[in-house]
Amino acid sequence: MVFKSQLLTDDRNKNEHTAIKTTSGLSRRQFLRRVGVSAGTAALASQSISQVWATSSIEPNGSTQLTKDDLPTESLNEQTPFIQTTCITPTIETRLFASSNVGGSGDRTQLALDRVACAGFKVNNPTITNRQYLRFAGTDSQRASDLQNIATGAIAAPKLLLGVRGGYGAMRILPMVDWSTLGRIMQGRGTILAGFSDVTAIQCALLAKGDMSSLTAPMLYSEFGKTKPDEVSCRQFVEALTNPNLVINISDAALTSQKLPSILTSSEPKTITGTMWGGNLSVVSALAGSEYLPRIDGGIVFLEDVGEQPYRIERMLYDLYLAGVFKNQQAIVFGALSAAGEDSYDKRYDVATVIRQLHQLTGLPIYSGMRFGHIGQKHSFPLGATCQLTPNTDGGYQLAFTDYPTIKADAIQVEGLWQTA
C-alpha cells in the first residue's frame, strides 16, 4: 500500500474542486453565503450565537432526502431569531473530518459551527464543509486528507476530531489512510475522534490497525445543526468527552425490542470486562473479512441500525457469524434497532425472533436496549475502551468505561450546543 506523504494543500483542494458539479439558480440565502456573508463571524465577534436559521431536510419540491444519520427535522419559522446566549472563548483544538455524505444546507452547517464555537470548540478547518463531489463531501482524496494529513504530520493532531455527518462514503477512503501511524499520533496527543453511523468504518479501521479508541457520538451537521438539537444527546456527548469513568445504566430492552429481556442468557448473568467495539451493523457487516474489522479477543460487540427489516438485520448478523466475528467474544450489546418494520410474509418474524436466533447460534449473552443509535436522547460512549458490564438486581445492567482520552469539563459550555428559537 502506498500512502500519500505530502500535505494536500488548499490550492490542490481548490483545483480538485473545479471538477465538482455546482448548482445554478441560487436562492437569496445561498447567494449571500456564496459571496461571503457569514453569520458565524458576527457570532464570534459578539460572543453570542448568530441569528441564523436551520433548514429542514425537506427539499423545495417537497421531496425528502433521508440518510441513516439524519432523520427529518421540524421546520423553523424564519421570522423568529435565536435566543442570545453568552458564549465562552473556544479553546479546544478541533478539526472536522467529512468522510461521507455532503451536507444539504449551508445555513444548517453554519449554525452548527456557531454552536460548537459557542460551546468552546475551536474548529480550525470549517471550510471543508463547502466541499462536494457527487453525493460525497469532497473527492475521495480530499476526504482522506482530513485524516491522512494528521498521520503524515503535515497537520498537528487536534484534541477533537469531529465527524461532519454520516450517510455513505467512508469505506471508499479506508485504503488511503495510514491508520497505524494515525493511531499512534492520536494516542500521543490524546485525540478523540467522534462520530457514528457511516463513520463506524473510520472507527473500526482506527481500532483494527491503529489500536486507538474513538467516541460513538452525535456529529456536527446531523445533530448540532438541527432546528432543535436534542438536549439530552448534547449533554451526554459532553459527559462522554469529559468523564474518565463514564457509567451508563440500562433498565429495559425497549429500544432494541419490547419483546426481549434486557439480558438474554442461558446461564446466570455475571460481570464481564472487555473491549467494547462495533457500531452501525450495516457498516460492521460490510467490513467482514477485511483488514479494517477489529480482531479483539474477549471483546464486547456493540451493534445498532435504523430502517432495516428483520430479515436484513438477520442476514447481516449471519454475515458476521459465518465470518467468525463472534468467536472469542464475551457478549453482544444491541442499541436501538429503530424503524425495523414488519415482515410482509409473517409478522411473527421480528427483531426479537432474529436476536433469539443469534443467541442460539453464538451461545453468547445478549444485552439489549443500549441508549444509542439513530434516535434522540443518545448516550455517547467510547469504542475501543475497556468496558465492565454488570447485571443488576432489577433485570437491567450497567456499563462502566475506562481507559480513553477525555477533555477538561471547564473548557466546555454545554448549553451552547442546543440554543433554539
Side-chain angles (χ1 to χ4, degrees):
M1 184 183 302
V2 177
F3 297 108
K4 298 185 178 180
S5 60
Q6 71 275 21
L7 169 65
L8 297 178
T9 63
D10 289 343
D11 287 340
R12 179 177 172 185
N13 288 341
K14 288 178 182 178
N15 290 336
E16 284 185 306
H17 201 273
T18 60
I20 298 172
K21 183 174 68 176
T22 59
T23 304
S24 60
L26 298 177
S27 68
R28 178 177 179 273
R29 185 181 304 163
Q30 290 169 325
F31 173 76
L32 291 174
R33 194 166 62 247
R34 182 65 57 85
V35 297
V37 177
S38 170
T41 302
L44 292 178
S46 64
Q47 291 289 288
S48 64
I49 201 157
S50 59
Q51 295 182 343
V52 295
W53 299 274
T55 60
S56 71
S57 58
I58 307 298
E59 296 297 309
N61 63 5
S63 65
T64 59
Q65 294 181 336
L66 305 185
T67 63
K68 285 193 172 186
D69 73 309
D70 183 24
L71 299 181
T73 58
E74 65 272 41
S75 60
L76 179 67
N77 181 352
E78 296 194 1
Q79 300 303 313
T80 306
F82 277 88
I83 295 172
Q84 299 291 308
T85 183
T86 301
C87 297
I88 64 174
T89 301
T91 59
I92 301 167
E93 291 297 323
T94 303
R95 292 191 69 85
L96 304 176
F97 68 96
S99 58
S100 307
N101 274 23
V102 65
S105 164
D107 289 340
R108 175 168 171 166
T109 299
Q110 186 59 56
L111 175 57
L113 289 168
D114 290 344
R115 280 176 170 152
V116 298
C118 183
F121 299 95
K122 182 181 179 182
V123 177
N124 294 325
N125 62 333
T127 59
I128 73 164
T129 60
N130 298 326
R131 301 180 320 210
Q132 181 174 356
Y133 172 71
L134 302 175
R135 63 174 288 149
F136 308 112
T139 64
D140 289 354
S141 178
Q142 287 176 316
R143 289 180 290 118
S145 74
D146 297 341
L147 301 170
Q148 178 61 7
N149 282 339
I150 297 172
T152 63
I155 292 174
K159 185 58 184 176
L160 177 65
L161 272 167
L162 179 62
V164 174
R165 70 175 301 180
Y168 169 69
M171 196 158 304
R172 291 171 56 128
I173 69 172
L174 295 185
M176 303 175 68
V177 178
D178 182 350
W179 299 104
S180 178
T181 302
L182 178 63
R184 176 176 53 78
I185 291 174
M186 288 176 62
Q187 288 178 26
R189 174 67 173 91
T191 300
I192 303 167
L193 183 145
F196 82 113
S197 191
D198 194 54
V199 173
T200 293
I202 303 297
Q203 294 170 309
C204 282
L206 184 61
L207 181 58
K209 300 179 75 66
D211 194 28
M212 182 61 193
S213 67
S214 60
L215 196 68
T216 185
M219 295 178 286
L220 181 83
Y221 183 93
S222 51
E223 183 62 53
F224 307 130
K226 285 180 179 177
T227 299
K228 294 181 179 180
D230 175 42
E231 182 175 335
V232 172
S233 296
C234 292
R235 286 193 182 278
Q236 293 302 318
F237 171 63
V238 172
E239 175 71 8
L241 281 175
T242 59
N243 188 347
N245 296 289
L246 181 71
V247 173
I248 298 175
N249 290 291
I250 305 299
S251 59
D252 60 66
L255 286 175
T256 305
S257 171
Q258 296 187 4
K259 297 180 180 180
L260 287 170
S262 297
I263 306 173
L264 182 61
T265 180
S266 56
S267 60
E268 187 69 20
K270 62 180 181 180
T271 298
I272 59 175
T273 302
T275 300
M276 177 80 87
W277 68 278
N280 180 258
L281 173 60
S282 299
V283 178
V284 173
S285 66
L287 293 174
S290 78
E291 62 186 299
Y292 304 107
L293 190 70
R295 302 287 191 270
I296 297 174
D297 289 335
I300 300 170
V301 186
F302 170 76
L303 299 168
E304 60 80 22
D305 218 318
V306 61
E308 299 288 358
Q309 293 184 36
Y311 83 92
R312 291 177 60 87
I313 293 172
E314 181 170 285
R315 183 165 60 194
M316 289 185 286
L317 291 171
Y318 260 95
D319 285 344
L320 297 175
Y321 169 71
L322 295 173
V325 172
F326 296 124
K327 290 181 180 179
N328 301 321
Q329 302 304 296
Q330 296 189 72
I332 302 169
V333 176
F334 279 98
L337 294 175
S338 39
E342 296 179 338
D343 187 82
S344 59
Y345 288 91
D346 192 324
K347 293 181 181 179
R348 295 172 298 177
Y349 181 64
D350 56 13
V351 167
T353 302
V354 167
I355 290 179
R356 290 183 185 278
Q357 172 70 3
L358 179 67
H359 174 56
Q360 292 179 6
L361 280 173
T362 63
L364 294 173
I366 296 179
Y367 296 74
S368 296
M370 175 65 171
R371 178 123 224 134
F372 193 88
H374 295 74
I375 55 171
Q377 302 186 351
K378 290 186 279 287
H379 285 220
S380 302
F381 64 94
L383 292 170
T386 300
C387 176
Q388 182 179 81
L389 201 160
T390 306
N392 59 38
T393 57
D394 298 325
Y397 58 96
Q398 180 186 88
L399 300 102
F401 297 90
T402 54
D403 303 327
Y404 53 92
T406 56
I407 294 170
K408 291 183 178 180
D410 59 7
I412 304 174
Q413 178 175 271
V414 64
E415 292 84 0
L417 295 175
W418 69 73
Q419 295 302 312
T420 58

